[in-house]
Amino acid sequence: MDRDERHDRSERAERLTRYLNELQDRIDPRSLELLMRLLRELSTSPAVRGGTYELGMGPEEKELFTPALQAELLVLFGLLTSQDERVVVDLGDSPHAKGMKVLVPQERAGDPDFLHRHKQRVAAEAEQRERDRREVEGIARASGMEP
């Protein structure tokens, strides 16, 4: 790792630390704990390389995971993984993904063609996950297992 890379990582770590300190003052401890768990989970997921990832949460966690908390998670993830400024954009609903939010470069946030392509890609991945889930459940039932 060269000097510039170390500087970039150090700068990102400082921005992330500042943001986390601000969050501690703004949100309740349970929500912060959930955010930290999800951030750790995301940091080792395919999302790090630009893929999508479905978070694992129980019913209580899903209730805590409001749209505002979802946006905070995206901001934290951007601070952790990106060197440039990113913003949260709401892409809306698709048949297999409700209330899609994404983190995009600030200069692309107002580009409707870019956002449309992004929404199509995210929606297609969500649809594929749904097809895969149904197939696995069908296999489980055919094997005499409870899905």
Side-chain angles (χ1 to χ4, degrees), residues 6 15 19 33 63-64 76 84 90 117 122 125:
R6 282 193 304 272
R15 285 190 336 232
Y19 197 82
E33 183 180 318
E63 191 174 312
L64 275 177
L76 288 170
D84 58 349
D90 188 349
R117 286 190 310 274
V122 172
E125 290 172 356

Side-chain angles (χ1 to χ4, degrees), residues 13-143:
E14 187 177 311
R15 285 190 336 232
L16 181 62
T17 300
R18 275 196 314 266
Y19 197 82
L20 284 170
N21 288 335
E22 292 170 15
L23 267 181
Q24 283 181 308
D25 295 335
R26 287 191 287 132
I27 65 175
D28 68 275
R30 286 182 36 217
S31 295
L32 184 61
E33 183 180 318
L34 175 62
L35 275 178
M36 297 311 300
R37 182 186 72 74
L38 295 174
L39 188 60
R40 280 189 300 275
E41 187 177 323
L42 270 175
S43 68
T44 60
S45 76
V48 171
R49 293 173 300 285
T52 58
Y53 182 74
E54 192 168 327
L55 298 167
M57 289 185 279
E60 288 178 20
E61 291 176 323
K62 285 180 182 178
E63 191 174 312
L64 275 177
F65 200 53
T66 63
L69 207 60
Q70 293 170 33
E72 294 293 0
L73 180 61
L74 285 172
V75 169
L76 288 170
F77 188 67
L79 288 170
L80 181 67
T81 62
S82 180
Q83 294 174 353
D84 58 349
E85 193 69 30
R86 301 279 172 141
V87 294
V88 176
V89 176
D90 188 349
L91 295 178
D93 295 341
S94 74
H96 296 286
K98 303 296 180 205
M100 291 186 292
K101 291 179 180 31
V102 294
L103 200 59
V104 298
Q106 192 167 14
E107 65 275 4
R108 303 301 298 267
D111 181 344
D113 293 333
F114 172 78
L115 296 176
H116 180 71
R117 286 190 310 274
H118 204 74
K119 181 177 182 175
Q120 286 179 315
R121 181 183 65 81
V122 172
E125 290 172 356
E127 185 176 347
Q128 182 62 49
R129 279 194 308 274
E130 179 62 22
R131 281 195 305 268
D132 292 347
R133 184 190 62 75
R134 285 193 309 263
E135 184 175 342
V136 167
E137 285 179 356
I139 291 169
R141 275 194 280 291
S143 301

